[in-house]
């Protein structure tokens, strides 16, 4: 019998609106990779919704990058200037 391992993280959906995110922190910035910054990633963010704030998990941060690549790129460039 074969054992199948499913990667459930690919199917996760979060209710995160990037306009509710602040305190953005980025890592992996290599200026030699300008303008793509392929190794850069969002390492920390705070979501404020309904008057409550919370830090996003690593999985949620990855999801935001995957779902909103244009937003991520814009915020990364803003962060560096």
């Amino acid at each position: 019998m074969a054992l199948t391992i499913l990667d459930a993280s690919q199917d996760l959906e979060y209710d995160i609106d990037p306009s509710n995110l602040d305190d953005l922190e980025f890592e992996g910035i290599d200026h030699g990779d300008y303008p793509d910054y392929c190794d850069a990633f969002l390492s920390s963010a705070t979501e404020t919704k309904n008057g409550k704030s919370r830090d996003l998990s690593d999985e949620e941060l990855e999801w935001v990058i995957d779902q909103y690549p244009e937003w991520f790129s814009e915020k990364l460039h803003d962060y560096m200037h």
Side-chain angles (χ1 to χ4, degrees):
M1 174 157 81
L3 175 63
T4 303
I5 299 174
L6 301 176
D7 183 1
S9 65
Q10 293 179 5
D11 296 329
L12 293 178
E13 283 291 323
Y14 297 103
D15 182 23
I16 300 171
D17 180 347
S19 67
N20 294 333
L21 301 180
D22 55 11
D23 300 327
L24 306 176
E25 294 291 329
F26 297 86
E27 292 184 28
I29 297 171
D30 176 4
H31 294 288
D33 190 24
Y34 174 84
D36 298 322
Y37 299 107
C38 295
D39 294 330
F41 62 95
L42 188 59
S43 61
S44 177
T46 301
E47 178 185 37
T48 303
K49 190 186 322 185
N50 301 323
K52 296 182 180 181
S53 295
R54 68 177 189 88
D55 293 333
L56 269 61
S57 69
D58 291 342
E59 292 80 13
E60 290 171 318
L61 293 168
E62 288 180 27
W63 183 86
V64 168
I65 294 168
D66 290 343
Q67 296 299 309
Y68 302 101
E70 293 85 16
W71 174 88
F72 170 75
S73 180
E74 177 183 320
K75 295 301 179 182
L76 175 61
H77 286 277
D78 290 349
Y79 178 82
M80 295 182 345
H81 293 105

